[in-house]
């Protein structure tokens, strides 16, 4: 009985008392618990018990070098994977210092520390080394793999002030129960239709009893941020199922209105109201199909005019190649197969495309056409070479995070986006590059890290 009545709280793993995170939680009246990872396996068992209690609302973790060592060591393998699994299933953010992730270490910091402290004992020195001396490459690789397996959102930080800003933003999002967030560049194919579809999805949620779900976000000249915020009745992990149910309902509204009405039986009791709702959604879906068709046709025409001019500049025979050219461009501009939030928002997904036409043009020119069309479709035309390279790397190695990481690139490049959102985007992209390891040439990663450092000075 007592456990059921206990308020849900934040769990701070590795955080220290008195820091800015606990200060903010206290100011907002949010309950929290603190558990250290620089401790023995028995203490880790108590962390697991808290995670299994059902009373954890969100998690903020700070992983030191010593925590990395523990996670990878045999002595903790009976409990470490279980803790990571639980964290990955709850709203969370995990921080680690950039040096811990990269393996870099400034020995002068140890000397300065020893000089300030004077004569210290072995225990104090071990504590310092555990906090600041980076783990070995083998440990970093092992922990990185374990974090990835359990979908742990690891964010590197360089200063405590930076960490405070990122943690504070996470607390705000967790308190609002952020369910979904995506940045859509204004030049992306179907960007306007994505906004209409998400508005329809929000209306459907409210009519289905999810009245606590709210739409939020903001718009800039370069793009738009879409956010869905929910009450206790809907959690982040539930949204994928809601998207699926919504998409199936839209298809029924067009293909089988009677079945669509029946599917609303438990949500809308009045038969007349169900009929009116299905009729309205059927009109909206048909209109959306038409808008998508027109948007694609307009984009194809614009691209064809642009490319025809380039063909003529190269001295190629335009009329003789016009049919093949149309086929090439058409194969690169995707058709919306189903009207779902995922298919429209992820029009530039990493799944790529398959070109099924042959064009009798210079191969280098064909490659240039493909690049022009894909950048136009994806809304990346105005991005420089570094962000374009970063997006390509994300599509190759981003895995389940690819869509969110691409959003981060666009948001970082948008100078009118909120500063804290750009900072979060930058640090998340740093974390992605830090996890690349030997998968990508070191020089390429170093150049992209330099690009990220140059984007924001906070």
């Amino acid at each position: 009985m007592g456990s059921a009545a206990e308020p849900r709280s934040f769990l701070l793993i590795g955080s220290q008392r008195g820091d800015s995170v606990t200060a903010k939680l206290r100011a907002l009246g949010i309950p929290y618990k603190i558990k250290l990872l620089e401790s023995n396996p028995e203490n880790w068992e108590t962390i697991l018990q808290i995670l299994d209690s059902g009373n954890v609302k969100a998690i903020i973790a700070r992983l030191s070098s010593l925590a990395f060592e523990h996670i990878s060591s045999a002595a903790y393998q009976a409990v470490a994977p279980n803790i990571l699994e639980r964290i990955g299933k709850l709203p969370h953010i995990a921080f680690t210092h950039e040096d811990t992730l990269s393996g870099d270490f400034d020995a002068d910091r140890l000397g300065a520390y020893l000089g300030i402290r004077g004569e210290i004992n072995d225990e104090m020195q071990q504590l310092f080394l555990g906090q600041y001396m980076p783990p070995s490459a083998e440990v970093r690789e092992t922990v990185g793999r374990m974090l990835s397996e359990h979908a742990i959102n690891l964010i590197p930080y360089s200063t405590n002030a930076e960490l405070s800003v990122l943690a504070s933003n996470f607390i705000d999002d967790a308190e609002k129960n952020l369910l979904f967030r995506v940045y859509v560049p204004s030049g992306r194919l179907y960007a306007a239709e994505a906004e209409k579809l998400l508005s329809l999805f929000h209306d459907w949620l409210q009519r289905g009893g999810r009245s606590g779900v709210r739409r939020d976000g903001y718009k800039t000249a370069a793009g738009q941020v879409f956010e869905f915020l929910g009450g206790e009745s809907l959690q982040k992990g539930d949204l994928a199922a809601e998207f699926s149910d919504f998409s199936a309902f839209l298809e029924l509204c067009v293909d089988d209105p009677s079945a669509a009405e029946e599917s609303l039986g438990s949500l809308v009791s009045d038969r007349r109201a169900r009929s009116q709702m299905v009729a309205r959604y059927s009109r909206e879906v048909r209109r959306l199909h038409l808008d998508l068709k027109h948007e694609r046709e307009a984009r194809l025409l614009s691209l064809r005019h642009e490319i025809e001019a380039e063909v003529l500049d190269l001295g190629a025979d335009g009329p003789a190649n016009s049919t093949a050219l149309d086929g090439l461009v058409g194969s690169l501009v995707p058709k919306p197969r189903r009207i779902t939030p995922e298919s429209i928002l992820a029009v530039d997904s990493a799944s790529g495309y398959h070109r099924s036409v042959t064009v009798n043009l210079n191969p280098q020119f064909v490659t240039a056409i493909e690049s022009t069309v894909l950048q136009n479709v994806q809304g990346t035309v105005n991005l420089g070479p570094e962000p374009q390279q970063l997006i390509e790397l994300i599509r190759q190695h981003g895995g389940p995070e690819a869509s969110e990481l691409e959003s981060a690139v666009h948001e970082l490049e948008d100078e009118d986006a909120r500063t804290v959102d750009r900072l979060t985007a930058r640090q998340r992209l740093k974390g992605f590059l830090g996890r690349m390891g030997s998968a990508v040439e070191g020089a390429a990663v170093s150049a992209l890290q330099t690009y990220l450092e140059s984007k924001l000075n906070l």
Side-chain angles (χ1 to χ4, degrees):
M1 295 290 291
S3 176
E6 183 180 346
R8 299 178 72 217
S9 61
F10 274 68
L11 177 59
L12 310 183
I13 303 178
S15 296
Q16 302 296 319
R17 294 183 183 276
D19 68 10
S20 60
V21 174
T22 57
K24 173 156 187 168
L25 292 172
R26 287 196 300 270
L28 295 176
I30 301 172
Y32 63 88
K33 295 179 180 179
I34 297 177
K35 297 296 292 183
L36 297 181
L37 291 174
E38 297 76 14
S39 56
N40 56 40
E42 288 73 21
N43 184 63
W44 284 42
E45 290 286 356
T46 66
I47 296 175
L48 187 58
Q49 291 171 14
I50 294 173
L51 290 169
D52 286 337
S53 69
N55 291 323
V56 177
K57 181 173 185 177
I59 300 162
I60 300 176
R62 189 185 304 181
L63 305 183
S64 66
S65 294
L66 187 55
F68 267 60
E69 297 284 355
H70 287 342
I71 292 172
S72 64
S73 73
Y76 289 78
Q77 286 312 296
V79 63
N82 294 327
I83 287 178
L84 296 180
E85 179 188 14
R86 302 323 193 262
I87 292 175
K89 292 180 179 179
L90 289 166
H92 73 275
I93 191 166
F95 296 106
T96 192
H97 195 276
E98 290 181 355
D99 289 354
T100 303
L101 203 59
S102 67
D104 297 331
F105 179 67
D106 184 356
D108 291 340
R109 278 195 295 170
L110 177 57
Y113 178 82
L114 296 177
I116 293 172
R117 300 293 300 186
E119 185 177 347
I120 64 173
N121 57 38
D122 291 342
E123 183 180 354
M124 293 174 64
Q125 181 168 330
Q126 186 62 39
L127 176 62
F128 178 84
L129 292 175
Q131 291 291 336
Y132 297 105
M133 179 68 76
S136 67
E138 181 181 0
V139 168
R140 296 198 308 272
E141 183 177 347
T142 298
V143 174
R145 183 172 60 252
M146 293 175 68
L147 296 176
S148 178
E149 287 174 358
H150 297 293
I152 303 298
N153 181 20
L154 185 65
I155 305 293
Y157 69 95
S158 59
T159 66
N160 287 335
E162 194 172 76
L163 183 149
S164 295
V165 172
L166 296 169
S168 177
N169 189 52
F170 172 78
I171 291 171
D172 291 337
D173 286 343
E175 278 300 283
K176 294 184 296 185
N177 193 13
L178 179 66
L179 303 172
F180 170 78
R181 188 176 193 278
V182 65
Y183 180 100
V184 178
S186 57
R188 178 177 295 176
L189 182 67
Y190 307 140
E193 289 71 28
E195 182 175 9
K196 295 176 184 177
L197 183 61
L198 288 176
S199 294
L200 203 60
F201 176 59
H202 181 234
D203 179 77
W204 180 79
L205 285 174
Q206 290 188 313
R207 290 174 179 270
R210 305 291 196 181
S211 57
V213 178
R214 311 182 308 282
R215 264 195 66 191
D216 203 352
Y218 63 93
K219 184 181 292 187
T220 71
Q224 185 167 0
V225 174
F226 296 101
E227 294 179 338
F228 277 75
L229 314 171
E232 294 293 330
S233 64
L234 187 64
Q235 299 301 312
K236 187 173 184 177
D238 301 330
L239 206 63
E242 296 288 352
F243 273 156
S244 178
D245 291 346
F246 171 66
S247 301
F249 175 69
L250 293 185
E251 290 186 346
L252 286 177
C253 285
V254 175
D255 300 333
D256 192 345
S258 297
E261 289 186 30
E262 289 298 321
S263 72
L264 293 173
S266 60
L267 302 175
V268 183
S269 57
D270 183 74
R271 181 174 295 276
R272 179 181 176 86
R274 291 203 301 267
S275 178
Q276 291 175 341
M277 182 176 173
V278 169
R280 173 177 170 257
Y281 273 67
S282 178
R283 289 194 302 271
E284 295 285 355
V285 173
R286 294 178 191 279
R287 177 68 196 185
L288 195 54
H289 271 296
L290 189 61
D291 289 343
L292 291 167
K293 176 175 176 288
H294 289 170
E295 167 62 17
R296 184 173 185 272
E297 289 173 349
R299 193 67 64 101
L300 285 170
L301 182 61
S302 173
L303 284 165
R304 178 180 175 180
H305 289 170
E306 178 182 347
I307 293 169
E308 280 182 339
E310 294 183 28
V311 171
L312 291 176
D313 287 342
L314 289 178
D317 185 356
N321 290 289
S322 61
T323 300
L325 202 59
D326 285 346
L328 172 62
V329 175
S331 70
L332 297 173
V333 180
K335 299 177 182 178
R337 295 177 178 83
R338 292 181 65 207
I339 292 190
T340 68
E342 298 97 324
S343 66
I344 293 181
L345 289 170
V347 67
D348 60 341
S349 68
S351 59
Y353 68 92
H354 174 69
R355 177 159 58 84
S356 58
V357 298
T358 301
V359 183
N360 187 24
L361 290 172
N362 184 299
Q364 290 184 333
F365 183 67
V366 172
T367 299
I369 291 177
E370 292 175 345
S371 177
T372 296
V373 173
L374 292 175
Q375 288 181 34
N376 183 288
V377 166
Q378 297 157 2
T380 60
V381 173
N382 297 319
L383 296 183
E386 291 90 355
Q388 299 250 20
Q389 183 182 357
L390 185 51
I391 286 177
E392 184 60 32
L393 200 61
I394 288 168
R395 289 176 183 157
Q396 294 174 14
H397 303 283
E401 290 185 280
S403 179
E404 294 179 3
L405 289 168
E406 284 193 42
S407 274
V409 175
H410 287 289
E411 198 158 16
L412 179 60
E413 285 290 307
D414 187 346
E415 295 184 357
D416 293 327
R418 292 184 304 216
T419 300
V420 67
D421 293 338
R422 296 183 69 209
L423 174 60
T424 302
R426 184 188 71 172
Q427 295 309 115
R428 183 164 193 181
L429 292 168
K430 279 187 176 183
F432 166 70
L433 289 180
R435 296 192 297 273
M436 286 295 92
S438 60
V440 180
E441 183 182 352
V445 171
S446 178
L448 291 175
Q449 290 280 19
T450 300
Y451 149 73
L452 292 177
E453 292 292 349
S454 72
K455 291 304 297 180
L456 216 55
N457 184 23
L458 292 174

